[in-house]
Amino acid sequence: EQTPFPVGSLVRRQTRGARVAWGDRQVQIGGGAPVVVQSMTNTDTADPIATAIQVKELAMAGSEMVRITVNTPEAAREVPAIREQLDRMGVSVPLVGDFHYNGHKLLTQFPDCAQALSKYRINPGNMGGGKKRDDNFAQMIEVACRYEKPVRIGVNWGSLDHELMARMMDSNSQRSAPWEASAVMREALVVSAISNAQRAEELGLSGDAIILSCKVSHVQDLISVYRNLSSRCDYPLHLGLTEAGMGSKGIVASTAALSVLLQEGIGDTIRISLTPEPGGDRTREVIVAQEILQTMGLRAFTPMVVACPGCGRTSSTFFQELADSIQSYLRRQMPLWKAQYPGVETMNVAVMGCVVNGPGESRHADIGISLPGTGEVPSAPVFIDGERSVTLKGDTIADEFQEIVRNYVEKRYGA
Ligand code: SF4
């Protein structure tokens, strides 16, 4: 019998595969590879220690490549030192250089920088105009060919090629149908990305070394632009809502835009551009990127914790503390577990507040715990593989449950 509303399934769009490498570490973008998580530092690249430390933090959090800004000769000079620091710390994550305005000069004047980077991000809208723009672009592509580095041609709404935009506005003003400026802009983004990619190929760069992005800051624009872009080329695509914003707004906007596109099979690498709170943790954007991919069933990074929101039945803080401690415990363990217990990242853990949904959700999880709700002595049945196992009691429930989870992981995922 046919199910009238089948569970969403996701077919990835076929793209070429671009390889981003450092030493033995190879990250493939597109060509059927899993969607890659990436992020960007916000340190001054001219400070190699601070930058290397932040790159390491982002890599440890799960960023599979890290972009650094290369904006001045001082920054370009320090890129090899950053690479060296990372190699010394055993961090092989590929570094991507982010270039605007002077990338052609920096890449040609600092060959060690060009070599130490694993990929270059080029913004064709920030390279001057006319012949100067063409020459600067050609210089950067020539360096990419010489060092065999892939390139992301990253077009951005905020820095779109003015000449292209003016030409398109002119030609569209002749049309009978009324063209709104933003529609022309969306089309201009796509035209700019594709035409620059074609030019890079004409200049000798392999089509397998090109990744495209067209970033905008509004959700509906982003969806429209990427649908258009993906229908007109087979280069791998870097997805991200630029200037997504702070806190929950940034997370929600990015998730809304990227989920729609990923569900349509569009997107080969993602970056979540969150504005950190003052003193906030930069790794948050990596966690959000991973959680988007994992909740959509595209990848698995860490065991999923299903926790109910709590309500009047959980008026003590015990339930929140238990859920938080289990989530933190699993994240802390993952770097170690990943190597020892293949497949552990697909595990589901339920932490539930009361008997209303607790036993049911716990039975559906690989391992779950269900508290009794308000006003009762803490006593919580544990469910393992759908079967009720032990009942934990008292103040040590969190520690004992962690121990049960650890034993379960060893038994189920150990060699
Ligand atoms: Fe409230 Fe219980 Fe539902 Fe959790 S499972 S939200 S505590 S009713």
Side-chain angles (χ1 to χ4, degrees):
E1 197 179 304
Q2 241 188 339
T3 315
F5 299 105
V7 172
S9 65
L10 201 156
V11 179
R12 299 271 310 282
R13 167 184 161 266
Q14 294 290 316
T15 56
R16 304 175 189 214
R19 208 170 46 90
V20 183
W22 184 252
D24 294 338
R25 178 82 171 264
Q26 308 236 353
V27 179
Q28 186 173 313
I29 303 178
V35 180
V36 172
V37 170
Q38 60 173 291
S39 56
M40 185 173 184
T41 56
N42 61 356
T43 52
D44 179 359
T45 308
D47 180 344
I49 301 295
T51 303
I53 288 171
Q54 196 177 67
V55 170
K56 183 180 177 189
E57 285 168 1
L58 292 165
M60 297 297 287
S63 185
E64 291 160 308
M65 59 180 73
V66 177
R67 186 156 43 113
I68 57 177
T69 190
V70 187
N71 53 342
T72 60
E74 292 73 25
R77 198 172 290 120
E78 295 301 340
V79 169
I82 295 166
R83 185 68 268 174
E84 220 171 279
Q85 286 283 345
L86 292 168
D87 290 346
R88 213 174 295 141
M89 293 189 284
V91 180
S92 58
V93 68
L95 290 177
V96 181
D98 195 63
F99 295 97
H100 300 270
Y101 311 111
N102 57 359
H104 57 293
K105 285 191 190 150
L106 297 177
L107 281 174
T108 43
Q109 284 170 11
F110 296 93
D112 289 351
C113 165
Q115 175 55 39
L117 293 168
S118 302
K119 175 175 155 227
Y120 311 146
R121 182 273 167 106
I122 300 179
N123 182 343
N126 281 343
M127 308 187 86
K131 183 169 176 332
K132 195 169 140 218
R133 193 207 81 94
D134 291 348
D135 292 347
N136 295 346
F137 183 80
Q139 263 189 58
M140 292 186 81
I141 297 300
E142 194 269 317
V143 175
C145 294
R146 192 182 327 146
Y147 293 100
E148 299 184 331
K149 306 288 183 182
V151 161
R152 168 161 68 99
I153 296 175
V155 182
N156 200 301
W157 185 270
S159 51
L160 187 53
D161 180 342
H162 295 302
E163 290 169 4
L164 172 71
M165 187 62 200
R167 273 200 311 277
M168 290 185 65
M169 287 300 276
D170 279 352
S171 62
N172 283 303
S173 67
Q174 315 301 320
R175 287 172 181 249
S176 51
W179 267 57
E180 31 152 356
S182 56
V184 180
M185 261 184 110
R186 288 194 296 271
E187 175 67 10
L189 284 161
V190 174
V191 169
S192 175
I194 293 177
S195 60
N196 280 288
Q198 285 166 347
R199 173 131 200 275
E201 286 202 60
E202 284 159 20
L203 290 164
L205 189 66
S206 162
D208 294 334
I210 297 174
I211 298 126
L212 297 187
S213 68
C214 287
K215 292 199 183 176
V216 300
S217 54
H218 288 99
V219 171
Q220 296 296 350
D221 287 322
L222 192 89
I223 293 169
S224 164
V225 164
Y226 271 87
R227 280 177 174 161
N228 185 0
L229 182 62
S230 76
S231 72
R232 286 161 65 172
C233 71
D234 66 353
Y235 298 110
L237 301 183
H238 166 126
L239 288 191
L241 188 73
T242 194
E243 288 98 41
M246 294 183 77
S248 58
K249 187 265 171 186
I251 294 172
V252 170
S254 294
T255 307
L258 268 55
S259 302
V260 170
L261 291 167
L262 289 166
Q263 183 65 23
E264 293 176 13
I266 299 170
D268 301 286
T269 175
I270 65 171
R271 190 234 166 163
I272 305 300
S273 306
L274 297 180
T275 309
E277 314 286 340
D281 186 356
R282 191 70 171 171
T283 58
R284 185 121 196 260
E285 65 176 48
V286 178
I287 309 270
V288 172
Q290 289 185 332
E291 285 179 346
I292 291 173
L293 295 177
Q294 184 149 1
T295 51
M296 293 204 64
L298 278 160
R299 291 190 66 180
F301 298 94
T302 190
M304 287 280 270
V305 176
V306 175
C308 76
C311 65
R313 292 170 185 267
T314 56
S315 52
S316 85
T317 56
F318 188 79
F319 162 66
Q320 288 100 308
E321 283 162 11
L322 178 66
D324 187 56
S325 83
I326 296 301
Q327 175 85 65
S328 315
Y329 173 72
L330 293 170
R331 281 207 183 282
R332 267 198 321 276
Q333 293 300 107
M334 270 317 278
L336 187 70
W337 281 0
K338 227 174 198 160
Q340 279 181 304
Y341 305 117
V344 67
E345 63 276 11
T346 60
M347 182 172 74
N348 290 305
V349 180
V351 181
M352 299 295 292
C354 85
V355 291
V356 172
N357 291 319
E361 282 289 356
S362 299
R363 278 199 176 91
H364 284 125
D366 294 304
I367 184 162
I369 184 165
S370 171
L371 289 171
T374 306
E376 295 174 44
V377 182
S379 117
V382 173
F383 295 81
I384 297 178
D385 292 332
E387 299 293 332
R388 189 169 172 146
S389 169
V390 289
T391 297
L392 303 179
K393 289 195 170 91
D395 296 336
T396 54
I397 286 179
D399 291 341
E400 287 179 51
F401 186 59
Q402 278 180 19
E403 185 63 15
I404 291 172
V405 170
R406 194 173 62 78
N407 289 336
Y408 180 84
V409 167
E410 277 178 16
K411 211 167 128 201
R412 174 159 171 198
Y413 300 98

